[in-house]
Amino acid sequence: MKNYRFVLSLALIISIAAVAIGALNEKTSGVAIGQPVADFKLPDVNGKEQSLSSVKGEKGTVLIFISAQCPVVKSYAERIEKLAQDYKSRGVNVIGINSNATESTDYMKEQIASEKFSFVVMKDKGNKIADMLGAERTPEVYFLDASNKLVYHGRIDNHRDVSLVQSNDLRDAIDATLAGKPVVKTEAAAFGCSIKRG
C-alpha cells in the first residue's frame, strides 16, 4: 500500500512539473481580453514621438499592425482607410503600427502616400509593442475601449477578398462598444503575413 501511494505521489509530482515546464516554454500571448493596454511611446513616420494617450480616440482606439510589403495588407488598405474615416467622427481613432524590421521609415512613407492613409502610423523598432501585445501578423488588430481595455483582438473581417466578406468582426466589436453593449465575438484569428522581427 505504501509503494502504491508513493508511485501515485511521484506520478502527480511529475505531472505538475511537466505542466509547469510546458507553461514556461509557451510564448506569452500578450494582453488578454478585458485587460488594459499600458500607455506606450513610438515615433511616427516623420520621427515625431507619439504616445498612445496622445493619439487614442475619445471612445476607442484601433491598433492595426501593418506592413508596406505584405500583399494581404495591400488588399485591406482601402478597407482600413474607410474604417478610419467611418469611425473618426464617432470618437474612435485608427493607429497603424509597423513592427517589421525589414521595412524602413521611407518605405512606410511611400505606403502611406500610395494608400492615402489619413491616420497616424508609428514605427515599432525592436518589436517592443508587437511583443507586449503578442502580435504575430499583418494585418492584426487590437480594439481598445475608451479606458484602453482590450475588447477585441484578431482579424478585420473574414476574407481578404472584399466580395467574399461575410463577417465584419472588427466593425461589429466597435459598434457594440459604441452602443454600450458587450462584444459578442472578442477574438477571431488574424491571418496575413508574419511580422518580420529583428
Side-chain angles (χ1 to χ4, degrees):
M1 191 70 174
K2 283 183 180 176
N3 282 347
Y4 179 71
R5 282 189 184 146
F6 173 76
V7 170
L8 265 182
S9 299
L10 190 61
L12 184 63
I13 290 166
I14 291 168
S15 297
I16 291 168
V19 168
I21 290 165
L24 286 172
N25 288 335
E26 267 183 32
K27 186 182 177 295
T28 54
S29 58
V31 179
I33 296 295
Q35 295 298 308
V37 171
D39 195 22
F40 58 81
K41 291 181 181 178
L42 288 176
D44 64 20
V45 292
N46 297 312
K48 181 184 176 190
E49 191 174 78
Q50 304 274 8
S51 64
L52 174 60
S53 57
S54 68
V55 295
K56 66 178 282 226
E58 184 186 342
K59 296 186 179 172
T61 309
V62 177
L63 303 175
I64 302 185
F65 284 85
I66 60 172
S67 159
Q69 59 195 14
C70 175
V72 183
V73 173
K74 289 179 190 294
S75 67
Y76 269 95
E78 196 173 308
R79 272 175 274 179
I80 293 170
E81 177 56 26
K82 178 91 169 72
L83 185 98
Q85 295 289 343
D86 289 351
Y87 287 101
K88 189 171 181 63
S89 62
R90 297 177 67 189
V92 175
N93 285 354
V94 169
I95 310 300
I97 300 176
N98 185 310
S99 298
N100 275 359
T102 55
E103 295 179 20
S104 68
T105 304
D106 286 340
Y107 194 20
M108 289 165 55
K109 282 182 183 178
E110 286 174 26
Q111 177 197 23
I112 293 164
S114 67
E115 306 294 3
K116 299 181 174 65
F117 285 159
S118 61
F119 50 87
V120 172
V121 177
M122 302 172 165
K123 182 62 178 170
D124 180 23
K125 289 178 184 169
N127 321 110
K128 293 183 193 79
I129 306 309
D131 290 348
M132 178 182 87
L133 293 173
E136 295 289 337
R137 311 219 159 273
T138 59
E140 183 170 349
V141 301
Y142 293 80
F143 174 53
L144 320 179
D145 68 9
S147 62
N148 284 1
K149 187 174 70 180
L150 181 64
V151 292
Y152 173 79
H153 167 228
R155 65 192 187 187
I156 294 169
D157 56 40
N158 72 302
H159 210 285
R160 180 177 170 177
D161 182 341
V162 69
S163 68
L164 298 173
V165 172
Q166 294 176 325
S167 179
N168 282 293
D169 310 284
L170 176 58
R171 282 181 177 268
D172 290 348
I174 298 171
D175 290 341
T177 300
L178 290 176
K181 297 175 181 174
V183 175
V184 176
K185 188 194 287 186
T186 57
E187 294 188 272
F191 56 88
C193 308
S194 61
I195 290 174
K196 310 297 184 287
R197 284 172 159 80

